[in-house]
Amino acid sequence: MHLDIVTPERQLMSAEVSMVQIPGMEGDMAVMGNHAPTITTLRPGVLTVTGSDGVEEFVVTGGFAEISAAGTSVLAEQAVPRGEAGTEMLEELLASAKEALASADDASKAAMGQRVNDISDLMGRMG
Amino acid sequence: MPSLKDLKNRIETVKSTRKITKAMQMVAAAKLRRAEEAAQEARPYAERMNAVLSNLAQGAANSPSAPKLLKGTGADETHLLIVATSERGLCGGFNSSIVKLARREAQRLLAAGKTVKILTVGKKGREQLRRDLGDHLVDHVDLSEVKKVGYNHAASIATDVLARFSADEFDVCKLYYGQFKSVISQVPTELQLIPTTFEETEEAVSVSYDYEPEEEAILADLLPRSVATQVFTALLENAASEQGARMSAMDNATRNAGEMIDKLTIQYNRSRQAAITNELIEIISGAEAL
């Protein structure tokens, strides 16, 4: 299966992989070849790519993924290899999410709260 | 007739000007390469985004609950024009041509009795628009400290614009920037941001996707992102166009300086020879008189 990981600033990855684990908005999903065409939004989390040369992990902060017959493309707002992801980036993100939560109206409050939770969750996993 | 010393000074001045313009041209060429690369690397994201969105939007456009960003407010009264120009001058007609396009649109709207608000990105456009449309400027984004335009800059502009939109400050939003075609051609371009429009993609085969969460939630999440992406693309195009325009402007300036030096050198030599001939005539006629 072909996988593209792109951010607005550059293309991070374009390769043949066997499986990718996507942190979807409604739960993680593992995608392999011949997956049903799906579009899902991403929550802040870790994206795991299993390819021929081992497992690679990327920290993504949001965006969406498009899974089609031609392959999978992950369009991430921000994506960095796990090793390079500093806590600073996540702290900044958490601060802005909390700010958004504080000023959110009732309709978007739940989504904002979810985002804050997701980010702190991710920070916990990163150590 | 300027004296020999004056001419010599002139030639020296023009020579040092030529050195400066030559250096600027080379700097612009190097920056242009980097700007072009940045624009190229951003392309896959923008293209995918556009493809997915237009697919989604086609389905949602006719539904009554379509997001406001997609179908607009229903009114056409207040227009927000975002004019993206450069922070520095000396790049030929680059800024003026963008401003000209935006100004024409602003005047057309004003003549039709609409309200016009202008948001400027980049100092040069603001300076030019302040003269006659100063009352309509609502905000300015300063990128003069920014070395390389990043997505976060575009995102913060988009957030600001979207906040204004949800506060009902405008109905239609258009973005003006210079599209990079080549070093000698930058096309001032108008792009409607809100309500969102899509380039028609040829591969508009409607694959039936599963959506997670449901279609409209995704659309509501993606539309603001797409505004940021479009702003980002425009800023990158602008950066490349600016350097391209500067490069050709400086190339022209360098060539003109060269021509001027040649002309002045000829003039200098002529007057030097004339002075020598004069002296000789004086000596000879003095000798003859004896």
Side-chain angles (χ1 to χ4, degrees):
Chain A
M1 177 184 66
H2 192 79
L3 173 73
D4 288 309
I5 302 178
V6 289
T7 69
E9 284 172 22
R10 66 203 172 109
Q11 184 147 21
L12 214 62
M13 184 176 191
S14 177
E16 290 298 323
V17 301
S18 55
M19 184 178 85
V20 55
Q21 216 171 327
I22 299 169
M25 194 61 91
E26 299 184 335
D28 284 10
M29 55 198 272
V31 178
M32 300 176 84
N34 295 325
H35 193 282
T38 306
I39 292 176
T40 176
T41 46
L42 305 181
R43 66 181 157 82
V46 178
L47 184 118
T48 314
V49 180
T50 313
S52 50
D53 34 286
V55 176
E56 275 183 86
E57 289 183 316
F58 297 93
V59 174
V60 295
T61 62
F64 69 99
E66 180 200 13
I67 300 151
S68 68
T72 301
S73 354
V74 177
L75 281 82
E77 192 108 289
Q78 255 184 315
V80 277
R82 182 164 181 171
E84 293 169 23
T87 45
E88 253 170 62
M89 178 185 110
L90 291 173
E91 267 162 24
E92 231 171 78
L93 205 66
L94 185 64
S96 71
K98 277 185 175 160
E99 213 172 281
L101 175 64
S103 61
D105 51 22
D106 289 338
S108 57
K109 204 153 211 157
M112 293 297 176
Q114 184 62 43
R115 187 169 167 81
V116 171
N117 284 345
D118 285 337
I119 298 168
S120 13
D121 207 40
L122 175 62
M123 284 175 81
R125 278 170 63 192
M126 299 283 295
Chain B
M1 194 69 184
S3 74
L4 280 183
K5 194 164 186 314
D6 286 343
L7 274 175
K8 213 169 186 172
N9 283 340
R10 264 315 279 293
I11 293 174
E12 280 312 308
T13 325
V14 180
K15 268 189 182 157
S16 54
T17 309
R18 180 172 65 173
K19 269 186 204 145
I20 295 172
T21 55
K22 183 88 193 156
M24 282 184 77
Q25 185 210 336
M26 288 195 292
V27 171
K31 283 191 177 163
L32 171 66
R33 224 193 39 233
R34 246 174 292 153
E36 254 187 300
E37 270 168 25
Q40 209 122 44
E41 288 186 336
R43 211 155 288 157
Y45 187 88
E47 276 170 7
R48 283 288 157 71
M49 179 72 107
N50 188 53
V52 170
L53 258 185
S54 58
N55 213 333
L56 270 169
Q58 274 164 14
N62 301 321
S63 103
S65 57
K68 247 171 47 167
L69 275 175
L70 188 63
K71 61 173 187 180
T73 55
D76 182 33
E77 281 313 306
T78 313
H79 291 244
L80 179 73
L81 310 181
I82 306 177
V83 185
T85 51
S86 70
E87 291 288 348
R88 288 152 193 275
L90 289 178
C91 43
F94 170 69
N95 289 314
S96 306
S97 61
I98 296 173
V99 167
K100 207 159 93 190
L101 185 71
R103 180 181 285 140
R104 203 182 306 143
E105 175 70 5
Q107 276 158 355
R108 189 184 69 79
L109 290 169
L110 286 173
K114 316 272 188 205
T115 317
V116 174
K117 293 178 177 177
I118 299 176
L119 190 151
T120 49
V121 181
K123 195 171 68 186
K124 288 291 156 186
R126 183 180 184 78
E127 282 166 6
Q128 292 190 22
L129 284 168
R130 197 158 44 192
R131 263 176 255 145
D132 52 345
L133 294 165
D135 304 339
H136 300 281
L137 298 177
V138 285
D139 206 353
H140 173 63
V141 180
D142 189 6
L143 294 178
S144 54
E145 302 298 317
V146 177
K147 286 231 166 60
K148 187 173 183 295
V149 188
Y151 181 70
N152 51 338
H153 302 118
S156 69
I157 294 173
T159 315
D160 179 45
V161 169
L162 290 168
R164 286 170 193 278
F165 183 67
S166 37
D168 286 329
E169 283 188 39
F170 62 88
D171 302 311
V172 180
C173 176
K174 283 180 187 147
L175 175 67
Y176 293 86
Y177 67 100
Q179 184 154 39
F180 183 79
K181 291 269 187 246
S182 72
V183 178
I184 44 164
S185 157
Q186 299 86 30
V187 186
T189 307
E190 175 189 280
L191 175 76
Q192 182 166 318
L193 279 184
I194 300 170
T196 315
T197 50
F198 297 99
E199 290 169 34
E200 288 297 318
T201 43
E202 281 172 29
E203 39 163 352
V205 262
S206 44
V207 189
S208 56
Y209 284 104
D210 288 342
Y211 295 98
E212 220 178 285
E214 63 282 8
E215 232 169 308
E216 292 205 343
I218 292 191
L219 199 57
D221 183 62
L222 285 194
L223 282 171
R225 276 182 217 280
S226 126
V227 172
T229 310
Q230 282 174 315
V231 172
F232 185 53
T233 311
L235 288 184
L236 288 176
E237 289 279 337
N238 234 8
S241 299
E242 179 195 344
Q243 298 305 340
R246 176 165 302 125
M247 203 177 128
S248 49
M250 288 301 121
D251 186 41
N252 276 338
T254 309
R255 207 165 328 119
N256 282 345
E259 276 168 22
M260 196 166 207
I261 290 170
D262 289 347
K263 229 188 276 168
L264 285 173
T265 311
I266 290 174
Q267 207 184 342
Y268 173 79
N269 287 343
R270 285 233 175 96
S271 24
R272 196 176 63 94
Q273 280 168 345
I276 294 171
T277 319
N278 254 343
E279 255 174 61
L280 279 178
I281 291 172
E282 271 165 32
I283 294 169
I284 293 165
S285 51
E288 270 175 0
L290 284 175

